[in-house]
Amino acid sequence: MKSSLLAARLLRSSALGVSLAIAAGSVPAFAQDATDATTTAEDSNVSEIVVTAQGRAQRLADVPVAISAVGAEALQNSGANDIRQLNQVAPSLLVSSTGSEANGSARIRGIGTVGDNPGLESSVPVFIDGVYRSRSGIGLNELGEIDRVEVQRGPQGTLGGRNSSAGLISIYSKKPDFTFGANGEITYGNYDYWRLAGSVTGPITDTLAARLDGVWVKRDGFYRDTTNDTDVNNRDRYFLRGQLLFEPTDALSIRLIADYTYRNERCCGAVYVDSSVNPYIGNLNNPSTPLSTGGTTPGPQPDGNNIINVLRDLGQPLAAFNQGYDRNLSVSAGRSFAGKTKDYGFSGQIDYDFGGAKLTSITGYREYRSGQAGDLDYGAVDILYRAPSDDAYRQFHTFTQELRLQGEAFDGKLDWLVGGFFANEKLTVRDNLRFGSQYGRFANCRLVSGGALAALYSPNSTGCVVPFVAPGVPGLAAIGAAAGASGADIVAAITALDGLNNLGSVDDQYRQNGTNWALFTHNIIHITDKLDLTLGLRYTHDKKKFSANFNNDNSVCTTIQNLVYDDLIQQNQTGDSAAVLRQRATARALSQGLIGLGCQGNSTAELDGVSIKDQRKEHKFTGTAILSYKPIDDLMVYASYARGYKAGGFNLDRSALKNPIQVVNGVPTVTFAQVGGAQALVGNLQFDPELVTSYELGAKYATGPFSAGLTFFRSDFRNFQLNTFNGSVFLVQNVNGCTSDLAGADRDTSSATGACAADDVSWGVRTEGFELEASLVPARNFRMSAGLTYARTKYRANLVGNSSGTPLDAALRKLPGDNLSNAPELVATGSVTWTPEIGSSGLTGLVYLDGRMTSDYNTGSDLFPQKGQDGYAIFNARVGLRGPDEKWGIELWAQNIFNKQYAQVAFNSPFQAGTTSAPFTDPQYPGGRQIFSMFLAEPRTYGVTLRGKF
């Protein structure tokens, strides 16, 4: 559906429509919880919300930046146990997860980092109690008892610890209390969902208090793997956090925190996208019948897909290609999605008031380790897998230290802040990604079925070739004859490829040691009682040392290279007959296909025991300038400029070193030795830092029970870091724009066209729009909140691949002039909370409803239409009864109450692309005959929660 239709439906929707109408169509940047039975509407003054977005405690209404703050009760009512549920209350935010929960990605205003490659830092980092978490996916853990969450929008170029180019999420847990208290809850829901949570706090001495929080969760999976009789996307985790708060004097506070999370879960399943989900699938999921058009120039059928024939004939049930949103997985026997995650750390915050200045020190050390197995072809044919292993994981060891000194000068005219930040992050990735037990036959069948050889297709025979084409004439011999003098080599290579099974990475190891330090200052100058000027500046130095060691047993790759390299590079000779010219062309085409299939992703024994290393460093100045004015006490208007930065780094994927066939000086090469070895190519793994320049105009109004905010924004990104899976490998590319017209050369199928003069390279991504936000308490115990974000987050019309003007990779040819992935133009959220008094006994009720409506968007980084997602609406609800002073409570709840089915991310099904006679030219099928899979969002869940406290 279109955004305008969605907006109309949004305004017609009952509870959310009422909320939007009353709040004048606004967005949530509010955190004040509904008033309890003893307060009046006037007591629920949103302007009194306190946030620390500018490094000091300030009322939300007085902070001239775009920020959403969500309090403890709002989080509890929305059912938020991790940062994903923040989607319901922050319209500019979108959090999703893909191939594993370690790959979770947060986006603000349509800008974010796809999380499949840990070498890329987060555009929207997560901080918990002031401590940086290495990647935003790490925030997909249980959070325990939370005081508030702050979502800052736009680049954070001065404060915020590690720089972020799109925004940041700050989570603050509840502190220890010097008054004894305890609470607990038990939840049971569908999918046999159990959640037990509790906390206890109180004084140990007059100056020392403690707090302990714990959560245990268990739930069946949302997917069913009937082949292996198990479920996938389940929950089995626990979380513990202990705190000490030491306050020996009014001037000194020391807070110590230790936490530990453990998860033992199966994640993440995916199903094929069919035409009932996305009409652009068309006939991609149909078998080609007959397989070949036949005739003198045989080729693939235009109304079918030969890869479906191959998958069907090797064991994939055809029903999987037409199952819509059904959650039955196609999985190979013996393959697993098992994974284990450990996340733990320690932090200490010291606050000391010298009288004239306040010192804050935050020290953190964290360790995170996640291993995730997977049937990574996401189908029943065993093509690609990662086996469960204690030696396959991604791991972060992170130490951070931040110091801030803040005070006032010139009789309060200057509120100054200076500080420094240091981080050391040690990242280790160990991988055992291997070709499956059917890959060799699958690869040969893909080669044979897609063109002139289709008449020889025989999936149960060696090489996927019929044993005999005629009495006494073997099928392989017929292929050999078609290749002429190269025939013997081609036949031997096909036979070798047939044996490429259960080979690949044994233990690839990537290590990155990153050191980041920064000095910053952030100052608020009170020019008059009503006019403030904020100036911030940060200098950041970032250095990364990279090394990798490869262990690979794919000797089939080197065998094929040795057999057919001379056939690949053979040249036509003067006097060759037409028949010989056809044979040479056939041999070259088959050689190219065999090498590509046998050496996918640079999986080759040539790299066995090979090590590479590199390093990079960069330094940047970033900062902000804000002019804010309060014409009356309840209204603030402001204009701001910000410069943001996200560090460059290394693509932790050997496939980026080179293509299986690399042309050097006009001559095709296939081995690493031919191009100087892997070390000579290590520079291909680097990508540049992402830079952003941002402008905002905003207004905030807050008086009594009503608050509203309006922000207009524009941000321009250079060197935008994009991570895309093209069906075979992950591409990491910096995206820039060109101020001159490329005449469509960036939209064709060649990666060699579309260069831009370096002087003409400019920003490549722009996000602009507005955000409205409002909250209203029209009566006692009743609150309404609503929000609206309109963001046009688009690529420039002419794009290039880096700051030097190198052409854009052809796989990204759909990007120029279009919206970014996972960047809906229009998002609206709203919530209603009613806590009526019931009689005079102290009992209260709870009625809560929230909703999020989203316009259409594309979920794939390459923007293929098969990855599009129609607009949708998600609603959550909670009703309950609570005792006096909320000493006890019982609540019935439901998430996604209308069971809306949609995809978080759609992607190219790995290696599963058929052949077309006119590749990549049909606008409906820019991926040719590539088929697609998707990670589904969570279905409807519901249950009951019992709470108690004393």
Side-chain angles (χ1 to χ4, degrees), residues 575-887:
D576 284 345
S577 66
V580 170
L581 291 175
R582 285 196 301 271
Q583 289 170 346
R584 289 189 190 278
T586 298
R588 283 193 292 266
L590 288 173
S591 298
Q592 182 176 345
L594 287 164
I595 292 170
L597 291 167
C599 306
Q600 288 266 20
N602 290 322
S603 177
T604 171
E606 186 186 5
L607 288 180
D608 191 44
V610 172
S611 296
I612 58 175
K613 62 181 179 180
D614 200 2
Q615 63 178 344
R616 60 174 290 121
K617 60 182 178 181
E618 59 207 27
H619 52 88
K620 298 292 179 184
F621 281 99
T622 56
T624 189
I626 308 170
L627 188 65
S628 59
Y629 179 64
K630 299 192 75 171
I632 58 176
D633 288 344
D634 298 328
L635 174 65
M636 179 180 65
V637 294
Y638 65 91
S640 70
Y641 163 87
R643 178 80 167 166
Y645 152 82
K646 184 177 73 163
F650 294 93
N651 181 359
L652 305 186
D653 188 341
R654 64 163 188 260
S655 65
L657 288 169
K658 72 176 190 69
N659 294 321
I661 300 175
Q662 190 97 2
V663 177
V664 179
N665 297 324
V667 179
T669 64
V670 296
T671 68
F672 282 91
Q674 289 173 318
V675 290
Q679 180 60 42
L681 302 171
V682 69
N684 293 339
L685 300 182
Q686 291 201 33
F687 54 87
D688 292 331
E690 184 174 287
L691 305 173
V692 56
T693 302
S694 182
Y695 307 89
E696 290 187 3
L697 292 173
K700 294 185 178 184
Y701 178 78
T703 178
F706 176 70
S707 72
L710 172 63
T711 305
F712 293 93
F713 61 87
R714 171 183 280 184
S715 298
D716 294 335
F717 291 80
R718 298 178 65 118
N719 291 333
F720 180 74
Q721 297 169 3
L722 185 67
N723 186 23
T724 302
F725 181 64
N726 68 0
S728 298
V729 297
F730 283 95
L731 304 173
V732 175
Q733 184 160 35
N734 290 109
V735 176
N736 281 293
C738 184
T739 57
S740 56
D741 187 3
L742 298 178
D746 55 344
R747 307 182 189 211
D748 60 26
T749 58
S750 172
S751 296
T753 60
C756 178
D759 291 342
D760 292 339
V761 175
S762 183
W763 59 266
V765 169
R766 169 174 286 175
T767 179
E768 60 184 350
F770 66 86
E771 298 159 323
L772 279 165
E773 53 195 13
S775 181
L776 175 67
V777 183
R780 187 172 180 171
N781 307 318
F782 191 82
R783 169 175 299 278
M784 296 185 297
S785 301
L788 181 70
T789 294
Y790 175 74
R792 293 181 75 249
T793 307
K794 300 178 74 72
Y795 291 103
R796 199 166 191 148
N798 296 279
L799 295 181
V800 291
N802 58 28
S803 57
S804 300
T806 299
L808 190 71
D809 191 288
L812 306 177
R813 64 190 181 281
K814 294 288 290 181
L815 271 55
D818 208 343
N819 286 8
L820 272 68
S821 63
N822 290 291
E825 290 192 1
L826 183 66
V827 178
T829 62
S831 67
V832 176
T833 308
W834 184 36
T835 55
E837 300 174 10
I838 300 175
S840 58
S841 63
L843 294 177
T844 58
L846 169 66
V847 178
Y848 174 84
L849 174 70
D850 69 40
R852 177 186 175 100
M853 290 187 171
T854 301
S855 64
D856 305 348
Y857 60 96
N858 195 299
T859 68
S861 298
D862 53 17
L863 300 183
F864 286 0
Q866 289 78 17
K867 301 175 183 179
Q869 172 61 57
D870 286 341
Y872 58 89
I874 300 296
F875 293 93
N876 302 328
R878 187 175 295 262
V879 295
L881 178 67
R882 304 184 293 194
D885 299 322
E886 299 186 26
K887 294 296 185 182

